[in-house]
């Protein structure tokens, strides 16, 4: 009986020690797991904080990463202890511990994925913003310089050689403008890439962070709109200047051709002015016939001469002080004087011939 009692007592004491050990481990697991679970939830909240700048957000995320590393040993010890309790063959009702182990593992992995994704996206956004700022400063400087160059152009001349020179100078500006389009496109691409990053990151962010990112996007897009508007307006100025050059060159070329044609016509008339001996009646009749023929030719050209005169005077009225204006006026005045002189000569020749009959 004594021996049997001793065995029962020893068995009871061993079982009691077992229960105390299990209780101790379970108590430690429950306490540690509760602390760790609360810390992980707190870290998740921290990683979702609404910061006004990417730099601030990056600092918060780095703090979360560091704190996560700090509690990692305690998390791993807790997981080891929990799995040990779950895997014991001499305990029952282990599902409570098993569920908590699973929940902690899920929280840890979820935080891990969340941090990796947010750090990656935040770093990429930071890089895009930095690239945007660098490119923006370069572009705004160039735009300011081009706006100054295109704010005022010297009036287009009325001399074809000077117009050619002005067109060559303008071509340099146009080429510079066209070549700079790749820089404008680059900053637009940066904006599109930043926008894409925001759309990618939005599913893992809370509403507050989403709103902040949309505010950043609006700010960037507003700056892009201003850049594109100013760039395009420079293009409008250049196009207007090119049209002025082309239109003026066409007008001057046409009027130069008209003046040359009319002067050539007067050269022909001058060359064929009557040179008859008017003391002979027959010669007087021939002279009258010849003069009337030349007067008819001049009458036919009169509309062209008047049109040329009116158009040149209109050009001179619009551009009175531009280079080439005085030369064009002199050419017109010379033509008009020649025209009047020849017309007077023909009229006098006709009157003299008539008196000789």
């Amino acid at each position: 009986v004594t021996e049997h009692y001793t065995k029962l007592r020893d068995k009871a004491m061993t079982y009691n020690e077992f229960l105390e050990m299990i209780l101790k481990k379970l108590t430690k697991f429950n306490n540690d797991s509760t602390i760790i679970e609360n810390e992980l939830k707190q870290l998740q909240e921290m990683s979702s904080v609404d910061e006004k700048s990417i730099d601030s957000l990056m600092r918060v995320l780095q703090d979360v990463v560091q704190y996560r590393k700090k509690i990692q040993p305690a998390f791993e010890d807790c997981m080891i202890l929990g799995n040990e309790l779950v895997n014991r063959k001499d305990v029952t009702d282990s599902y409570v511990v098993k569920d908590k182990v699973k929940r902690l593992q899920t929280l840890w992995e979820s935080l891990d994925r969340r941090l990796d994704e947010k750090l990656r996206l935040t770093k990429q956004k930071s890089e895009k913003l930095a690239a945007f700022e660098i490119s923006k400063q370069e572009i705004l400087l160039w735009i300011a310089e081009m706006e100054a160059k295109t704010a005022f152009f010297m009036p287009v001349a009325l001399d074809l050689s000077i117009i050619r020179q002005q067109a060559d100078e303008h071509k340099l500006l146009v080429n510079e403008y066209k070549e700079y389009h790749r820089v404008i496109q680059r900053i637009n691409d940066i904006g599109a890439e930043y926008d894409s990053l925001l759309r990618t990151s939005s599913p893992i962010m809370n509403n507050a962070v989403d709103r902040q990112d949309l505010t950043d996007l609006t700010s960037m897009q507003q700056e892009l709109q201003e850049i594109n508007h100013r760039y395009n307006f420079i293009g409008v100025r250049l196009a207007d200047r090119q049209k002025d050059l082309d239109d003026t060159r066409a007008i001057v070329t046409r009027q130069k051709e008209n003046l040359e044609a009319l002067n050539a016509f007067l050269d022909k008339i001058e060359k064929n002015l009557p040179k008859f001996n008017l003391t002979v009646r027959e010669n007087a009749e021939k002279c009258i016939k010849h003069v009337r023929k030349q007067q008819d030719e001049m009458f036919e050209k009169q509309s062209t001469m008047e049109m040329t005169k009116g158009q040149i005077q209109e050009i001179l009225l619009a551009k009175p002080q531009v280079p080439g204006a005085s030369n064009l006026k002199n050419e017109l005045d010379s033509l008009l004087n020649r025209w009047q002189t020849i017309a007077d000569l023909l009229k006098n020749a006709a009157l003299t011939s008539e008196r000789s009959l």
Side-chain angles (χ1 to χ4, degrees), residues 72-305:
Q72 185 171 1
F75 167 78
E76 292 175 349
D77 290 343
C78 185
M79 295 300 290
I80 291 172
L81 180 57
N83 286 321
E84 177 188 338
L85 291 171
V86 169
N87 294 328
R88 293 188 70 95
K89 304 298 184 181
D90 48 5
V91 296
T92 60
D93 299 330
S94 61
Y95 65 89
V96 177
V97 175
K98 185 177 182 180
D99 289 346
K100 200 160 192 177
V101 168
K102 185 177 181 180
R103 187 164 66 252
L104 286 177
Q105 187 67 39
T106 300
L107 279 172
W108 185 268
E109 292 174 353
S110 174
L111 178 62
D112 186 47
R113 289 192 302 271
R114 184 186 187 86
L115 285 174
D116 287 346
E117 182 69 6
K118 288 198 66 174
L119 282 169
R120 181 182 66 82
L121 291 174
T122 303
K123 182 179 179 182
Q124 289 178 345
K125 286 190 288 183
S126 177
E127 291 171 350
K128 293 301 177 185
L129 282 177
F132 176 82
E133 287 299 323
I134 293 173
S135 184
K136 182 184 73 173
Q137 296 305 319
E138 172 193 336
I139 289 172
L140 290 179
L141 180 61
W142 179 87
I143 285 178
E145 292 175 351
M146 282 296 285
E147 285 174 336
K149 292 178 182 178
T150 58
F152 173 78
F153 291 108
M154 292 296 294
V156 179
L158 296 178
D159 182 284
L160 290 176
S161 62
I162 299 177
I163 292 176
R164 191 177 302 110
Q165 179 183 350
Q166 290 177 322
D168 290 341
E169 293 172 353
H170 187 67
K171 186 177 180 180
L172 296 176
L173 287 178
V174 172
N175 289 339
E176 181 181 354
Y177 174 81
K178 290 180 178 179
E179 290 173 2
Y180 208 78
H181 181 264
R182 60 181 178 80
V183 182
I184 300 297
Q185 186 58 50
R186 183 181 65 194
I187 198 171
N188 285 327
D189 290 342
I190 292 173
E193 291 164 2
Y194 184 77
D195 182 25
S196 177
L197 287 173
L198 291 179
R199 296 179 187 279
T200 301
S201 63
S202 60
I204 66 167
M205 294 182 178
N206 62 21
N207 291 334
V209 176
D210 285 343
R211 286 194 299 272
Q212 180 60 47
D213 284 332
L214 290 175
T215 301
D216 292 339
L217 175 63
T218 300
S219 175
M220 179 182 287
Q221 291 302 324
Q222 287 176 347
E223 291 181 286
L224 283 174
Q225 287 176 359
E226 179 188 358
I227 286 172
N228 282 280
H229 173 73
R230 292 173 68 183
Y231 176 78
N232 291 333
F233 190 66
I234 290 171
V236 171
R237 287 177 174 176
L238 292 173
D240 289 345
R241 172 65 168 182
Q242 187 64 55
K243 185 177 185 303
D244 192 11
L245 286 166
D246 294 340
D247 291 350
T248 304
R249 177 167 42 209
I251 291 172
V252 173
T253 299
R254 184 166 62 251
Q255 300 311 320
K256 288 284 188 179
E257 291 172 350
N258 289 340
L259 288 171
E260 290 175 5
L262 289 169
N263 276 308
F265 168 74
L266 292 180
D267 289 341
K268 176 185 173 184
I269 296 294
E270 278 184 329
K271 185 178 180 181
N272 293 316
L273 284 174
K275 300 180 180 63
F276 296 99
N277 183 359
L278 298 180
T279 59
V280 180
R281 180 181 179 86
E282 184 179 346
N283 287 343
E285 291 175 349
K286 288 181 179 179
C287 182
I288 291 172
K289 185 178 180 180
H290 183 75
V291 167
R292 286 177 178 172
K293 180 183 177 182
Q294 288 186 309
Q295 285 177 326
D296 288 343
E297 290 178 0
M298 288 189 70
F299 181 76
E300 290 177 0
K301 290 288 185 181
Q302 184 74 29
S303 61
T304 302
M305 190 273 294

